[in-house]
Amino acid sequence: MPQTEEGPAPPERLSNKQLLAQNVDYALHVFLIYLLTLSVFPGFLAEDVGSHSLGSWAGTGRSLLGSLCSQHPETKTMQRLKLTSRKGLSAAVLARFALLPAFYYAGKRGGEGWMIALASVLGLSNGYLTVCVLTEAPKGYKGPEQNALGNLLVFCLLAGIFAGAILDWLWLVGRVW
């Protein structure tokens, strides 16, 4: 460890800019996950589904993978369920955007069953992909870098929530005119 006049120097760490540059795909994943989820839920579902009761489905995906990780951290089942590939995560995050036309079509012509199924897929994939990204991104970094990267990813999560809430109004544009 390098020495300074006051004693041992703190360990060097990558800057936030370097961390973000190395993990821009993870940051974009978290942003897009919440952009899509909040642009559909609750506005579209509340406006177009009306009185359907979907229950508390949003936390189920997080709970599913989180409980598997905490109870059996090194089991083969958990390793098979967790998506760790950057390309795989990108494909899964982008594939969720197919839910947009599905929700629109189900709102116009589908029944309650289709809306419940789509809302379940949206909620499960939201929690599942969030856990996958937030647990995979910090691997390979030291403690201070992991903390900084976690903070950057949470900022992207909040930006996605904000942008999704703003885009939620787009579902109402067709109805207003």
Side-chain angles (χ1 to χ4, degrees), residues 1 7 11 15 18 55 60 80 87-88 100 107 109 120 132 138 140 155 160:
M1 186 175 285
S15 70
Q18 291 170 320
T60 308
R80 279 188 233 142
K87 288 182 181 180
L100 284 173
R109 294 182 171 71
S120 296
C132 289
F155 175 78

Side-chain angles (χ1 to χ4, degrees), residues 7-79:
E12 293 285 325
R13 81 163 185 87
L14 296 173
S15 70
N16 289 345
K17 189 175 182 180
Q18 291 170 320
L19 281 171
L20 188 59
Q22 290 178 5
N23 295 286
V24 70
D25 56 340
Y26 287 134
L28 189 60
H29 293 157
V30 171
F31 176 80
L32 291 175
I33 288 168
Y34 283 87
L35 172 79
L36 178 66
T37 301
L38 271 286
S39 67
V40 173
F41 182 83
F44 172 74
L45 293 177
E47 190 66 30
D48 289 341
V49 178
S51 64
H52 300 274
S53 176
L54 300 175
S56 60
W57 53 269
T60 308
R62 273 188 298 268
S63 301
L64 177 67
L65 193 59
S67 65
L68 285 173
C69 290
S70 65
Q71 293 175 4
H72 309 288
E74 297 300 324
T75 63
K76 290 183 181 182
T77 303
M78 195 276 300
Q79 292 300 326

Side-chain angles (χ1 to χ4, degrees), residues 76-124:
K76 290 183 181 182
T77 303
M78 195 276 300
Q79 292 300 326
R80 279 188 233 142
L81 288 176
K82 188 175 176 198
L83 189 56
T84 58
S85 161
R86 285 184 176 218
K87 288 182 181 180
L89 282 168
S90 294
V93 168
L94 293 176
R96 291 178 79 227
F97 280 88
L99 292 173
L100 284 173
F103 270 110
Y104 183 77
Y105 182 77
K108 297 293 182 194
R109 294 182 171 71
E112 183 177 324
W114 283 106
M115 293 305 284
I116 291 172
L118 288 171
S120 296
V121 169
L122 181 72
L124 286 169

